[in-house]
Amino acid sequence: MPKPVDVTTPSDREVTVTRVFDAPRQLIWDCHTKPELVQRWLLGPPGWSMPICKVDLRVGGRYRYVWKNDESGAQFGSYGEHQAIDAPSRLVTTEMMDGLDGGPLLDEPPLDPAQAARNVLTLAEAGGRTTLTINMTFPSKAIRDQALQSGMSDGMAMGYDRLETLMAGQGVG
Amino acid sequence: MSYEQQLDATFQALADPTRRAILARLATGEASVSELAEPFAMSQPAISKHLKVLERAGLIVRGRDAQRRPARIQAKPLQEANMWIERYRQLWEANYARLDGLLAELQAGQGNRGKD
């Protein structure tokens, strides 16, 4: 059984995700910052892939992720800037999402600090285990809720239904 | 209220620790304003204000009894808010299960290199 993931909403504008891994934090750091590794796990439900993953790991450097539903062709993306890089323990980024409304995905989408979320990734290692915490602070409650619901968009929900069918079929959960 | 507005009202109502505590108390059974005021060491008007927010969010209903008007918890909006978070949680669960696999692969690779 995979380890539990804890999701809390400490305030109206925040979401915090916590998870423990049986791995040193340097490896988990690499999996968050090296594009060829990010593309292998940060995918959401089955049926989605990440055809575009660019990471310029410098303060002020950008990252760009694009996800695609391999069946419907639907796409959406996320992008932002690295604000603080303290390898392998802390990474601060801004984040905006695009394409959720079916709109086009630009190569270099505009980054509006007033609309961007601020994500703080913390990796704490003890006894060979790493506790990962991501605290996301959104500019408003409406933007926070939209981000939470991005997991509920049609294409994603389809993936979940498939996951649920799969789990039901295997007698899990 | 639309589904969106309902969710907004639910999350707003739940953002306050006193209101969450009131809901936790009501989960064990209905209570009047005076019964709620006592353990929270708050005035009855202050409790009434919180109950109004909870009522507007559809999280509680108030009884018709003019004297007591006991407050009762309503489960449905809470379940919907939870479902929203639950879906988001499942998204990360799937991602992190995949990351577990990748980390195991990377660790095995490092082990091999160490032996070389």
Side-chain angles (χ1 to χ4, degrees):
Chain A
M1 278 298 286
K3 291 186 171 58
V5 178
D6 190 34
V7 175
T8 60
T9 50
S11 79
D12 259 8
R13 295 197 295 121
E14 284 173 273
V15 178
T16 300
V17 177
T18 312
R19 189 10 166 109
V20 175
F21 292 88
D22 283 325
R25 63 181 175 181
Q26 179 64 52
L27 280 184
I28 298 171
W29 174 270
D30 290 346
C31 288
H32 280 81
T33 51
K34 293 186 175 171
E36 68 277 18
L37 295 179
V38 175
Q39 279 175 303
R40 291 187 54 192
W41 69 273
L42 189 60
L43 303 174
W48 288 81
S49 61
M50 191 196 267
I52 296 174
C53 181
K54 295 180 194 163
V55 179
D56 178 10
L57 192 62
R58 292 179 297 180
V59 173
R62 290 266 197 121
Y63 69 92
R64 173 55 153 157
Y65 304 151
V66 174
W67 290 275
K68 185 176 180 186
N69 186 295
D70 299 324
E71 204 170 293
S72 72
Q75 292 191 91
F76 70 95
S78 142
Y79 58 96
E81 195 180 84
H82 301 103
Q83 290 198 324
I85 301 164
D86 187 6
S89 60
R90 190 168 174 271
L91 181 66
V92 183
T93 52
T94 57
E95 180 175 23
M96 290 183 70
M97 301 193 80
D98 60 350
L100 286 174
D101 52 2
L105 294 164
L106 305 172
D107 264 355
E108 288 187 27
L111 187 56
D112 175 3
Q115 296 293 311
R118 182 175 185 269
N119 299 341
V120 181
L121 168 74
T122 312
L123 299 172
E125 186 178 327
R129 290 188 158 192
T130 301
T131 302
L132 172 154
T133 307
I134 303 177
N135 177 258
M136 295 166 259
T137 306
F138 298 86
S140 71
K141 182 181 175 307
I143 295 173
R144 195 269 317 253
D145 290 352
Q146 190 196 24
L148 273 176
Q149 280 182 313
S150 66
M152 297 277 282
S153 67
D154 291 347
M156 291 288 244
M158 211 166 67
Y160 278 119
D161 293 342
R162 203 174 306 139
L163 183 66
E164 276 156 19
T165 312
L166 197 69
M167 293 202 306
Q170 292 179 344
V172 182
Chain B
M1 249 196 288
S2 72
Y3 176 73
E4 291 281 302
Q5 287 170 327
Q6 177 68 64
L7 270 177
D8 278 355
T10 304
F11 276 103
Q12 197 190 333
L14 291 174
D16 181 87
T18 305
R19 289 198 286 274
R20 289 198 297 270
I22 290 174
L23 282 177
R25 160 66 187 84
L26 292 177
T28 68
E30 62 174 44
S32 68
V33 171
S34 59
E35 284 162 351
L36 285 170
E38 208 185 306
F40 288 106
M42 285 178 91
S43 71
Q44 294 196 16
I47 291 287
S48 288
K49 229 184 230 177
H50 284 306
L51 290 182
K52 271 195 191 116
V53 177
L54 291 169
E55 195 175 8
R56 225 176 295 135
L59 290 166
I60 63 162
V61 288
R62 306 289 300 276
R64 290 229 179 87
D65 176 347
Q67 298 294 315
R68 279 184 79 236
R69 297 210 63 212
R72 249 194 329 272
I73 200 159
Q74 287 291 95
K76 197 165 164 278
L78 268 179
Q79 285 168 351
E80 279 174 1
N82 278 336
M83 193 184 79
W84 216 32
I85 301 276
E86 177 54 23
R87 288 252 164 160
Y88 188 76
R89 205 187 60 73
Q90 285 177 19
L91 174 81
W92 284 102
E93 204 165 68
N95 281 339
Y96 289 148
R98 256 192 307 268
L99 180 52
D100 279 338
L102 178 56
L103 288 166
E105 194 187 307
L106 294 172
Q107 279 177 296
Q110 278 189 340
N112 289 341
R113 270 202 300 280
K115 281 174 214 153
D116 286 344

